[in-house]
Amino acid sequence: MSSIRPIRNSARAIIMNQNQVLLTKNMDEFGEFYMFPGGGQDKGEPLSDTVIRECNEEVGLQVVPGDMVCIREYIGNNHEFAEWDHDFHQVEFYFKCKPIIEEAQLIMNCVPTNPDNDQIGVEWMDLSQLKSIRIYPKTLAHMFSDYGIDGLPSFYVGDVN
């Protein structure tokens, strides 16, 4: 008997400091890769609380969620990791988030309190570098690199990688 995995909601943060975005640095069998901080919504938890909790756990920052930038779906069977991720379906909600900390202290204070298993660090990345690194979702990262965060309206991007 096979078990069906439910669709999972995830809240993700876009945290900017000047022309840089804060990303989690991760490692798998293919090497280093980057992701926007965030993770799964708990039952009964508003998405805004999810992004606050996940930012504390993954990047060690208290944040105030702002506008939602976009919604992205990840349907594992349609992407490069379909061999082992074929039954995974996640809906990701991307929020602009402001850290509750002085700008000068941002770099020193990014210490995760409960990082993901494959997470090896936290890194500020210049928007111009997003096209040259392994990052997920790469479609969004490339759009942010081209247009900047403030240049994007709220939108649904669908099942992209």
Side-chain angles (χ1 to χ4, degrees):
M1 178 178 199
S2 67
S3 63
I4 297 174
R5 290 169 70 178
I7 296 174
R8 179 180 189 235
N9 286 338
S10 174
R12 302 228 168 242
I14 300 169
I15 304 168
M16 299 291 301
N17 182 30
Q18 297 176 11
N19 203 35
Q20 294 186 321
V21 62
L22 186 61
L23 302 170
T24 64
K25 186 175 185 178
N26 307 277
M27 179 71 78
D28 65 11
E29 62 269 21
F30 305 110
E32 292 177 356
F33 67 97
Y34 295 85
M35 295 178 68
F36 293 89
Q41 180 182 30
D42 292 336
K43 184 176 180 180
E45 180 181 49
L47 282 170
S48 57
D49 289 352
T50 303
V51 79
I52 291 169
R53 175 179 50 77
E54 288 287 341
C55 284
N56 184 45
E57 291 175 1
E58 292 186 2
V59 297
L61 288 179
Q62 296 293 321
V63 299
V64 175
D67 293 336
M68 186 181 303
V69 174
C70 66
I71 300 169
R72 177 243 185 178
E73 283 192 81
Y74 175 81
I75 300 171
N77 201 44
N78 300 333
H79 297 284
E80 64 190 279
F81 302 116
E83 184 178 331
W84 62 84
D85 227 7
H86 64 276
D87 64 344
F88 187 63
H89 186 173
Q90 180 165 275
V91 180
E92 298 174 340
F93 300 85
Y94 285 79
F95 292 87
K96 287 182 189 177
C97 292
K98 262 189 124 55
I100 305 174
I101 193 168
E102 302 254 345
E103 188 175 314
Q105 297 177 335
L106 274 176
I107 294 177
M108 297 182 315
N109 288 327
C110 294
V111 180
T113 62
N114 186 21
D116 288 343
N117 291 337
D118 57 355
Q119 186 177 339
I120 59 171
V122 175
E123 199 166 311
W124 286 99
M125 188 71 62
D126 194 82
L127 288 179
S128 65
Q129 294 178 280
L130 296 182
K131 289 184 178 179
S132 64
I133 61 172
R134 185 172 160 225
I135 186 169
Y136 299 103
K138 58 186 154 203
T139 299
L140 286 182
H142 291 185
M143 292 172 83
F144 295 155
S145 177
D146 289 341
Y147 304 110
I149 302 305
D150 292 327
L152 294 177
S154 295
F155 60 96
Y156 171 72
V157 296
D159 179 28
V160 299
N161 193 14

